[in-house]
Amino acid sequence: QVQLVESGGGLVQPGGSLRLSCVASGTIFDINAMGWYRQAPGKQRELVANIRSGGSTNYADSVKGRFTISGNNAKTTVYLQMNSLKAEDTAVYYCYSKAWARGSTSYSDYWGQGTQVTVSS
């Protein structure tokens, strides 16, 4: 199985920055993609950004130019640098991975527990 552990959430003022980290561990054969989703109260979970094994990235329109996703060479850690934060960025942020666990026959989706990001003055 694959476990994802997030860190780096918290309270920040509008215009501030936060950096989220997510570490994947377990019996991993391969990771195809990692990324971040978020869910605000009363709203559906939405993609924030993801990064594929080849290095290509994808961002939600609402965060383009403000957020940057990156990963380590081993593809087991993903970061989300969030700058110029706005109140509407307030949400629980979930780490996501499409990974192939040893003993499995294909890739599966894995999720972290989530970390709260609150943007408020």
Side-chain angles (χ1 to χ4, degrees), residues 15-98:
S17 298
L18 281 176
R19 189 191 196 209
L20 304 183
S21 300
C22 174
V23 178
S25 63
T27 54
I28 302 170
F29 176 71
D30 187 50
I31 293 178
N32 179 264
M34 293 188 75
W36 295 91
Y37 282 70
R38 67 186 181 186
Q39 187 166 20
K43 295 187 177 181
Q44 289 189 331
R45 190 174 296 190
E46 63 175 1
L47 173 70
V48 177
N50 62 19
I51 182 168
R52 297 191 176 276
S53 58
S56 62
T57 58
N58 182 45
Y59 294 91
D61 287 343
S62 59
V63 306
K64 284 181 180 177
R66 300 188 298 122
F67 291 10
T68 302
I69 191 169
S70 61
N72 67 344
N73 289 336
K75 302 187 298 181
T76 56
T77 303
V78 65
Y79 306 98
L80 186 68
Q81 178 66 44
M82 305 185 293
N83 298 328
S84 301
L85 283 160
K86 304 175 182 179
E88 50 263 43
D89 295 317
T90 296
V92 178
Y93 285 68
Y94 296 91
C95 181
Y96 156 84
S97 177
K98 183 177 288 292

Side-chain angles (χ1 to χ4, degrees), residues 99-120:
W100 191 321
R102 291 188 184 278
S104 298
T105 57
S106 64
Y107 291 95
S108 297
D109 296 337
Y110 296 91
W111 295 91
Q113 296 281 56
T115 184
Q116 177 71 45
V117 171
T118 302
V119 184
S120 175

